[in-house]
Amino acid sequence: MKIVIVGGVAGGASCAARLRRIDEEATIVLFERGQHISFANCGLPYYIGNVIREQGNLLVQTPEGMSTRFAIDVRTESEVTAIDRAAKTVTVKNHATGDIYTESYDKLVLSPGASPIRPANLDAPNIFTLRNIPDTLAITSYADRIEAKRAVVVGGGFIGIEMAENLTERGIQVTLLELAPQIMPPLDVEMASYLHKQLRSHGVDLRLSTGLASVSDDGKVVTLTDGTTVETDLTVLGIGVRPETYLAQDAGLALGTTGGIRVNEQLQTSDPDIYAVGDAIEVTDYITRRPALIPLAGPANKQGRIAANNIAGRPEVYKGTQGSSVLKVFDMTAASTGASEKSLKRAGIAYERSYTHSLSHAGYYGGATLISLKLIYAPHTGKLLGAQAIGKSGVEKRIDVLATAIRAGMSVFDLEELELTYAPPYSSAKDPVNMGGYVASNLIKGDCAAIHWDEIDTDDSGYLVDVRTPYEYNRGTIGDAVNIPVDELRDRLAELPTDKPIHIICQVGLRGYIAYRILAAHGFTGMKNLSGGYYLYNTVMNGK
Ligand code: FAD
């Protein structure tokens, strides 16, 4: 069996190594257009920020290392330019020598990735995109040579935000442009608001609902969609990636509705002898079951392995991509898994949501910080559909637990029961994941009812009661809320109307829940507790 692999980084290198581990006899040829295989794409922004100092550390594996350990014929600077499906050959151009030749295959694996979107009119020499090591070195050497002081980053996705942070770490003043009203598309807007605040507090000039309109010929002046201009030494575009499908398209392989290469569950393209994996393929969204492009390293690596298993006669299916992801934003972490409200709305899937703010570990131990957690789940059954979390510590651990829960088909009721590790430096006896489960379960069981941050201003049917302390209340509340601290509530029930539902405000939602239960026990009905409390509401209002 001779297997030819196109693309030598995440999906391709994974597939090649797995194939060799399970088939010592196969001939495996790996073609990579660039000079490097298996490099750390995800580490590139941190090299720019001087967090990763050695260029060599970006190379997870070298062509020589891969050849020696796995007996793989690795050919770098070798671009596969065409596929002849009838003859089962590929045409290869060696960029080092200029040679063009053909190579036969029994099975072909495509893992060509996705390329950064770069509008044709943005061609000034100080406009960059970031995909590989040469792109990285181009940015660092340019910034060093001109002693860059100002930069514009376009696009508030993963790469844009990581670039904004790492250029800031280099001492460069960054303006970050995002055309949407929020950064980080996998998050919903209220969760992204924490990051808006975080970026601004670290000196990033974040402009939301603002894109790049044009750039001067010398690239030094950027005109924004609001008509204002920004002077810049360099501009980095992080406006998304497009699956590299030219090979597949030219070979007549089917593309999906999203423009990615269409594959079946075994990761076979429309030609059963050709597999495709990674950023170039259209996947099925694990939650909505809709076709999607989800360019992440974890899925690419897993798909490479699954394709290898299938080729080697160990049948396996790829069940879909959940989009679990994590992002560092200075000293904050944002992570999410599964569906967002936005994606569920687009798919027409009903959902409920809950918010909690829990300490990352036991408060009495010291040094704990808040984890703001949003759970999204099916009405009635409570089946988990998605989760998003922001905080300074322990965020990714909780999202990883929730990502696992989603794979296991768990509900918010199951989260109540999860027995997770606890000692004071690490968590609380009721972990933030348990707390999320309690709050969501209470809502489904009717032990509490919620009003959300985006409803409380528009829903004027309720009588607003702020149950925090007078000190907290005087620092800011919502609308014309009256202040009745929760500890005084039982003695001041007579002050409350009985002809109107009461909408309860507290700081994070916990005292509001207690107030809800007190009111319920005294015969009040129709109350709603502000989910996520004033803390979430105020973050959204300040994060626009
Ligand atoms: P790639 O890893 O891009 O590899 C494709 C390779 O194929 C390329 O090297 C290309 O040169 C080669 N190629 C293309 N066409 C041909 C051809 N015709 N012939 C020969 N070779 C060809 N994901 C995360 O999950 N977490 C992160 O933190 C993260 N950070 C990232 C940061 C940056 C700056 C970038 C660029 C990406 C990041 N990603 C991250 C995304 C992740 O790197 C990709 O999802 C993953 O690398 C996709 O793997 P792939 O094999 O599909 O494509």
Side-chain angles (χ1 to χ4, degrees), residues 276-348:
V277 301
D279 289 359
I281 68 167
E282 175 173 283
V283 293
T284 300
D285 181 305
Y286 188 77
I287 302 291
T288 64
R289 306 315 295 171
R290 288 186 147 203
L293 297 172
I294 306 181
L296 288 170
N301 276 275
K302 289 174 187 73
Q303 291 155 11
R305 183 182 166 96
I306 290 173
N309 287 344
N310 283 321
I311 289 169
R314 300 185 180 202
E316 198 177 335
V317 300
Y318 184 69
K319 295 178 186 146
T321 301
Q322 204 171 318
S324 301
S325 62
V326 61
L327 173 74
K328 174 179 176 301
V329 187
F330 297 96
D331 60 350
M332 215 170 214
T333 303
S336 66
T337 184
S340 64
E341 277 193 64
K342 284 179 296 189
S343 65
L344 290 170
K345 276 184 189 147
R346 276 196 300 269

Side-chain angles (χ1 to χ4, degrees), residues 449-472:
I451 185 162
H452 292 290
W453 63 272
D454 51 350
E455 297 164 344
I456 195 148
D457 282 335
T458 49
D459 183 346
D460 55 6
S461 65
Y463 182 79
L464 288 175
V465 177
D466 187 328
V467 299
R468 297 175 300 162
T469 62
Y471 173 76
E472 292 171 291

Side-chain angles (χ1 to χ4, degrees), residues 6-12 31-34 36 39 41-45 78-81 111-114 130-132 158-159 162 244 246-247 277-280 294-300 324 326:
V6 182
V9 191
F31 289 110
E32 167 53 52
R33 184 172 58 197
H36 310 100
F39 62 87
N41 346 39
C42 310
L44 301 178
S78 300
E79 179 169 4
V80 174
T81 55
S111 187
L130 180 63
R131 178 180 185 183
N132 50 32
F158 289 98
I159 293 177
E162 288 179 354
E244 283 217 26
Y246 65 93
L247 257 187
V277 301
D279 289 359
I294 306 181
L296 288 170
S324 301
V326 61

Side-chain angles (χ1 to χ4, degrees), residues 85 247-254 270:
R85 286 165 52 196
L247 257 187
Q249 257 179 304
D250 290 352
L253 299 176
S270 49

Side-chain angles (χ1 to χ4, degrees), residues 170-223:
R170 280 181 87 92
I172 295 174
Q173 168 61 51
V174 176
T175 300
L176 175 59
L177 307 180
E178 171 53 60
L179 203 49
Q182 67 159 95
I183 59 169
M184 273 296 279
L187 299 179
D188 291 312
V189 64
E190 75 283 17
M191 300 304 283
S193 299
Y194 294 99
L195 301 182
H196 299 164
K197 200 170 152 200
Q198 171 77 347
L199 284 166
R200 288 177 174 139
S201 73
H202 282 78
V204 174
D205 174 15
L206 172 64
R207 314 270 185 106
L208 296 170
S209 306
T210 310
L212 178 151
S214 63
V215 180
S216 61
D217 289 345
D218 64 358
K220 298 276 172 115
V221 181
V222 172
T223 303

